[in-house]
Amino acid sequence: MLVDRAASTGGPAALLETAPGRTVLVGLLEAMAKFGVRPTAVLTRTAWRDQVAAVLPSAVPVMAFSDTAGALGLLAVHLDSLSGPVAGPGQSGGQSPPSVVVAHGDLVAHSGALGDLVADPRLATAILTHHQGPADLEVSGGSVRAAGSAHHPLTTGNRTHAGVMRIGSADRPQLVVAARDLCGIATVAGWDADLAELLAVGALQRGVAIREVAVGEYVFDRPGDPAGASVAMRRLAENDEHRIRLRRVARPDDGFYSTFVIRRISPRVTDLAVRMGWTPNSVTLGALAIAVLAAWCFATGTRLGLVAGALLLQVSLVVDCVDGETARYTRTFSALGAWLDATTDRVKEYLVYAALAAGASRSGHDVWTLACTTLALQVFRNFVDFGFVATLGQRGSPGVEDSGVASVGRGAVALSARTSATAALKWAKRMVFLPIGERWLIISVCAAFSGARAVFLVLLGLGVVSAVYATTGRVLRTFAAGAPRPDEAVSGRDGEIDQLVDVGGVSRASARRLPPVGRPAALGLAAVAAALTAVVAGSGDRVPTALGLVAVVVLAAPAWREPPGGAFGWLLPAVARGLEYGLVVRVVAEFDRAAMPLVFSALCAVAYHHYDTVYRWRHTRSGPAGWVFRAGLGWDGRLLLLALNLLVSARLGPLLGLESVGLGAAFVLESARAWTAWFRAQNPAVTRSA
């Protein structure tokens, strides 16, 4: 805690009274204590040492300094002394050290503003910012890019340091070095500057990544006189912190429908969830239960059932927003919650597809092929995003070469930025991406008024537009970027992208024996073969169709000779999904249409494996066990198995049934075992010190 700013009365601003016998400093420490933050030291000017010590518990050391250099030196020593494990409530002493909070003691703020910084387990090093006063930070995309101080002019600033900085345990050694370096410079130059500002400058100079936590609507002030302290306290009382927090927990990047309709309703349910003490995971399971009930209604196939299912699906969407809002309100984030939320979203959507198709069958309408095609398109669309996001960290800065494609890419990125500056265009672009809110709105409206066939036809039509738009945008951004920085964990053999592609042993072995063909050429030939196979399947000839499936696998095999690196390695998982899912749906629809429900089931089992691989890498930084991929045969092995079945018989249902049960059981059981082991190995939340 830093007490180094003078009030108009001549004493420290931190000791201004907010009520008889109660100071700003004591109020701040009590607010921090709500989040498990306890003071480990208070740094103050020599002349104020006794005054500050008088209002603090005797166990809190008060360290005095005479100038900025001395304060930096003390801060370096103290940060260094906190490098060992610290035991907190519910902890053993052998765990990793907690984060440290460095704060000015003269802050008056809603506890929620402080909690968003110090109690969010997703943050490492971060700074609380606001818009009052001269800007001394440059923030972009939620990250602090530059910092200034009285001795470090900053002309590009757009935020003001609020005087609270959280230092992640991994970054602490760099901050110790930064404080020591600045101490030496301050000694020679005779600096007199704000310590929190200097610490931010030093952290960035040492390459520490700093996130921004904005004060936003919360009340925040650093009063410098008794009247200012009284005004600040009155503002705290007049502004309902609970209501502010409810507004803040809404996701800022949602789609149009979720933002302007669903998120207007969900805070009321979130308010109830918080007051009732519901956990985010229990809310997630509640949303799943409501979606299951909606699917049951859809499966009846009656008009009443379709209308009831449509309404319940919207209720489920509202509750689905509540789980995230509850997590952000209570700051109870976990990998389990993220995995559960993402997984149940897929389960709910595909369960609704199946229910709509089953209900239509009751009325004599076969829409299983449309349901399977919709599922396949949605998986392809998701994996375009998954692959692109996975490689963001290794993508270089925009190149300076004057090649045609690079210029087109940079022009597209610039155009995207300009259009996003216009609200109408920004929301239109988000709607084209067809996020879950828009998709579920389409399902509800079309199901209630037109039936299952209309649902799938509209989803397919708009889904194709979304897939083309999103894929084109990702490709153009890749053209605009510089050469990628290799990252073995992402693009190496058995790394993230390699596992997302899901290539089987047959293709890996044959890739080393087939003539070397460039990856674009190999996949291009495979795509042509897939298109021809789809055409040939329409003739009803089993043997040519089976040979076509084999040709797709063989022609694509050289693409897997090398790990999926390069600028466009991110696109390979989506290509694999498109080839496998698309061909399976097309071939079975032509030769054994009665087995289409089993196609849907088999694709769901495989999709679970593919989505689980994404979430495993995203949260645990490792993928499923190698035996799972071998047991699953890879996308190529599954196509070869389909081709072999087709050579023997046009009855494909038994094979698909075995895949649904066998592969589904293997994928789910291994996933459950791995996630359970990983969750048990995680440390509980740590208590942070200041």
Side-chain angles (χ1 to χ4, degrees), residues 277-555:
W278 298 341
T279 66
N281 290 348
S282 67
V283 176
T284 300
L285 294 176
L288 174 62
I290 296 170
V292 170
L293 184 58
W296 180 81
C297 292
F298 285 140
T300 64
T302 64
R303 176 58 56 190
L304 179 60
L306 290 171
V307 172
L311 294 174
L312 284 170
L313 192 62
Q314 292 303 299
V315 174
S316 177
L317 182 59
V318 171
V319 178
D320 192 47
C321 291
V322 172
D323 62 358
E325 292 177 356
T326 305
R328 287 185 287 275
Y329 188 100
T330 60
R331 306 182 187 90
T332 51
F333 305 102
S334 67
L336 172 62
W339 174 83
L340 192 64
D341 184 41
T343 302
T344 55
D345 279 349
R346 303 286 79 76
V347 170
K348 288 181 289 189
E349 188 163 10
Y350 299 156
L351 184 62
V352 165
Y353 290 173
L356 285 168
S361 297
R362 289 174 178 268
S363 304
H365 304 290
D366 183 5
V367 296
W368 277 107
T369 300
L370 291 176
C372 292
T373 306
T374 304
L375 185 153
L377 178 62
Q378 185 59 35
V379 173
F380 170 83
R381 172 68 183 81
N382 285 156
F383 274 80
V384 168
D385 287 342
F386 290 152
F388 187 80
V389 171
T391 59
L392 280 178
Q394 62 182 18
R395 194 157 294 127
S397 301
V400 295
E401 69 276 6
D402 203 23
S403 65
V405 291
S407 297
V408 171
R410 291 195 296 271
V413 172
L415 177 61
S416 178
R418 288 197 300 272
T419 54
S420 294
T422 303
L425 292 176
K426 179 187 74 172
W427 290 113
K429 287 162 61 177
R430 289 193 183 183
M431 291 172 68
V432 172
F433 266 86
L434 210 61
I436 190 169
E438 274 71 5
R439 294 200 305 276
W440 286 27
L441 176 64
I442 290 169
I443 293 172
S444 292
V445 172
C446 292
F449 291 99
S450 301
R453 181 176 296 276
V455 170
F456 294 122
L457 290 176
V458 174
L459 283 177
L460 283 171
L462 295 179
V464 168
V465 173
S466 174
V468 171
Y469 175 76
T471 306
T472 301
R474 304 300 193 222
V475 168
L476 290 172
R477 288 184 180 277
T478 304
F479 282 139
R485 298 181 294 271
D487 184 346
E488 286 297 308
V490 176
S491 300
R493 181 63 73 198
D494 295 321
E496 183 173 2
I497 299 298
D498 199 30
Q499 286 199 346
L500 291 183
V501 176
D502 188 20
V503 180
V506 174
S507 287
R508 290 192 187 277
S510 60
R512 294 189 291 269
R513 296 178 174 84
L514 292 171
V517 178
R519 179 171 288 152
L523 294 178
L525 291 172
V528 171
L532 293 175
T533 301
V535 173
V536 170
S539 67
D541 293 329
R542 290 189 292 111
V543 174
T545 302
L547 294 177
L549 294 174
V550 174
V552 170
V553 173
V554 172
L555 290 172

Side-chain angles (χ1 to χ4, degrees), residues 76-90:
V77 171
H78 185 62
L79 290 176
D80 196 30
S81 71
L82 296 174
S83 59
V86 178

